[in-house]
Amino acid sequence: MGILKGALSVRRYRVIGEVPEGFRDLWIDTLNSHQFREPQSSTHKGEVVGWAQAHNLLDTDFTDLNQWLYDRYAYFALRVDKKAVPAKLLRAHLQKRLEAWCKANNRPKAPAAVREELKETLEMELLQKCLPRVQTWEVLWNVNDGWAVFTNDAELPNERFQKLFLRTFGLRAVPWSPLDELTGTEGLAEAVAAAGTTDLRGRGA
Amino acid sequence: MSDEGIDEGSRRDGATELLPPHVSADFYLWLWWKSEEENGKFAIDDGRGGVEVYIDDRIALRSTGEERPSAVLTGESPATTPEARAAVAGGKVPRDIRLYVRRDDRDYHVTLRGTRVSIAQAKLPAQVKSGDVAEVLYDRMFLYEELHWIVACLLRAFAAVRVTAAWREDLVPRMARWATLDEARAGG
């Protein structure tokens, strides 16, 4: 579902700023420097964000232009990975560890410091076994005409897209609704805004 | 501007920020009414006879001042049901509408969603079903651009009439009669 097939749900952007001369070669480097990278540690907890090929989220090298640049269209994907231990599973394992600790130490309750240490150790162990939640959304950028689409309309993924786009290309991606087309006629958007609310209640009789 | 964050100007710009939420509701209502009033015929500035637009198989309504839909009507031609009209006559306004759009021999199905008039679940005509990536990409983007342009044309046509006195004096009473089914009773 997305740019190449299926139903298309996108947020559209204007891309503000000058595209530099020789952008093709320049962007190979800049996309590669902001490519998605697997975290060094298998117990990394936070989000990892970067660009990947739209065709396969495991391909994160942009050296081959033919894989992501089609005439005036740059086509790639935002990949966001996040590892998290399911809270219920962590609680259940922790309860077992605490019970074992109390029995081994002949104590009715584990002190807070022990509890914290056991929890931390357990979380690291479980993170090593967890696969990350992987999300990707496609980006299609018409470089000549200065617009782009992002295949998600929710706020958070769009904020991540805008941030990484700015960091990568030094260009601002500004949301562009069909409503913005009204600004092409001077004063029209202002006049519509000032026209007030339409209420059909009680008008039909 | 920090390279870590996005400023307010990047979040919103142009008319999206300027226009209050009722503008999209008025636009959807006008599309709905006009598609029934004029059998789907909409004139646009293309010099080729315009487009056909009908409400498709889904319409979501919200109460004024609310964000979430309070009634969702689906199925075959839900917009023509007495329930849908009654909801509008009772003060509900459209929040999302699914449209069937035809231009020349190209058929589109698209949902216009929320106050931003977002293009969602756009089913594009199947011009190129397979082939190399570039061919499919160019073709689908041509179609997406055409759809975006049609929606923009419809919005401009709506805005042009919305700012005239005729909206309040002529169109609102006609839409109100349509919503309360008075026109149907008068006709038959």
Side-chain angles (χ1 to χ4, degrees):
Chain A
M1 298 268 284
I3 299 292
L4 292 181
K5 61 180 174 184
L8 195 60
S9 291
V10 295
R11 187 173 290 188
R12 187 179 170 106
Y13 288 90
R14 275 184 298 154
V15 178
I16 311 288
E18 283 286 307
V19 173
E21 287 281 323
F23 69 88
R24 288 174 175 80
D25 293 332
L26 198 67
W27 287 350
I28 288 173
D29 293 338
T30 194
L31 277 165
N32 277 339
S33 65
H34 292 87
Q35 69 188 179
F36 179 87
R37 288 189 176 88
E38 295 286 351
Q40 300 282 329
S41 160
S42 60
T43 57
H44 181 87
K45 251 197 332 185
E47 266 187 359
V48 186
V49 181
W51 302 121
Q53 297 277 354
H55 313 293
N56 190 321
L57 60 89
L58 299 176
D59 292 335
T60 56
D61 186 279
F62 289 87
T63 307
D64 183 359
L65 278 171
N66 296 320
Q67 290 294 309
W68 61 273
L69 193 65
Y70 300 91
D71 189 38
R72 60 192 175 281
Y73 295 113
Y75 178 42
F76 46 93
L78 179 72
R79 177 173 166 184
V80 179
D81 282 20
K82 188 174 182 183
K83 253 189 178 186
V85 176
K88 275 187 179 174
L89 192 63
L90 181 65
R91 257 200 315 273
H93 277 290
L94 182 60
Q95 197 182 332
K96 294 279 180 201
R97 294 267 170 110
L98 286 168
E99 283 168 10
W101 186 92
C102 289
K103 199 172 173 187
N105 292 279
N106 201 22
R107 299 266 293 267
K109 200 177 167 194
V114 171
R115 187 186 172 85
E116 201 52 44
E117 193 185 325
L118 285 176
K119 188 180 171 190
E120 224 168 82
T121 310
L122 189 59
E123 197 172 15
M124 290 299 119
E125 285 173 22
L126 292 174
L127 273 172
Q128 277 180 332
K129 294 179 188 169
C130 281
L131 285 173
R133 187 188 63 171
V134 179
Q135 293 175 291
T136 60
W137 301 284
E138 294 166 281
V139 178
L140 187 96
W141 177 9
N142 184 327
V143 179
N144 288 4
D145 295 342
W147 59 262
V149 290
F150 180 66
T151 57
N152 187 299
D153 197 34
E155 291 303 325
L156 195 57
N158 275 276
E159 280 187 19
R160 288 197 194 102
F161 161 70
Q162 284 178 278
K163 279 183 192 174
L164 191 60
F165 192 89
L166 179 64
R167 273 212 298 272
T168 306
F169 302 105
L171 302 171
R172 280 199 311 149
V174 177
W176 185 15
S177 153
L179 286 171
D180 290 308
E181 302 285 349
L182 298 184
T183 55
T185 306
E186 200 183 339
L188 185 57
E190 289 81 357
V192 172
T197 310
T198 301
D199 191 346
L200 301 185
R201 279 175 291 188
R203 303 286 298 263
Chain B
M1 184 190 337
S2 158
D3 71 347
E4 287 301 316
I6 46 173
D7 61 6
E8 280 307 309
S10 295
R11 285 178 209 280
R12 294 283 180 274
D13 209 1
T16 313
E17 182 66 3
L18 175 73
L19 293 171
H22 67 76
V23 172
S24 59
D26 281 4
F27 173 52
Y28 299 154
L29 183 65
W30 175 78
L31 277 177
W32 181 359
W33 169 74
K34 198 169 160 65
S35 70
E36 293 189 11
E37 182 88 350
E38 300 190 13
N39 293 321
K41 300 276 190 290
F42 284 77
I44 54 174
D45 307 330
D46 67 345
R48 307 216 317 250
V51 289
E52 287 175 58
V53 180
Y54 302 94
I55 306 297
D56 203 353
D57 55 2
R58 187 180 186 277
I59 187 158
L61 300 152
R62 65 175 171 85
S63 300
T64 47
E66 302 269 324
E67 179 73 18
R68 292 178 164 276
S70 53
V72 178
L73 302 161
T74 57
E76 200 176 325
S77 306
T80 60
T81 60
E83 293 81 4
R85 303 271 191 92
V88 171
K92 286 193 167 54
V93 294
R95 181 189 182 274
D96 311 322
I97 52 170
R98 185 145 182 90
L99 301 178
Y100 163 72
V101 178
R102 184 174 175 84
R103 185 173 190 238
D104 299 335
D105 60 346
R106 295 183 290 283
D107 299 327
Y108 298 87
H109 299 263
V110 62
T111 299
L112 300 183
R113 183 177 291 164
T115 56
R116 295 165 47 82
V117 192
S118 300
I119 288 179
Q121 293 296 313
K123 196 174 162 202
L124 304 174
Q127 302 273 334
V128 175
K129 285 182 179 159
S130 60
D132 72 351
V133 171
E135 199 181 340
V136 176
L137 191 85
Y138 300 150
D139 195 65
R140 281 179 57 93
M141 283 306 104
F142 165 79
L143 296 167
Y144 164 73
E145 273 289 86
E146 179 171 72
L147 181 59
H148 182 90
W149 175 79
I150 290 169
V151 173
C153 286
L154 293 170
L155 254 167
R156 278 195 294 268
F158 154 75
V161 68
R162 182 66 187 84
V163 297
T164 62
W167 177 271
R168 197 161 293 277
E169 291 163 12
D170 179 31
L171 268 64
V172 169
R174 285 168 65 190
M175 284 194 278
R177 284 198 298 275
W178 160 81
T180 51
L181 299 172
D182 278 7
E183 281 184 352
R185 282 198 289 270

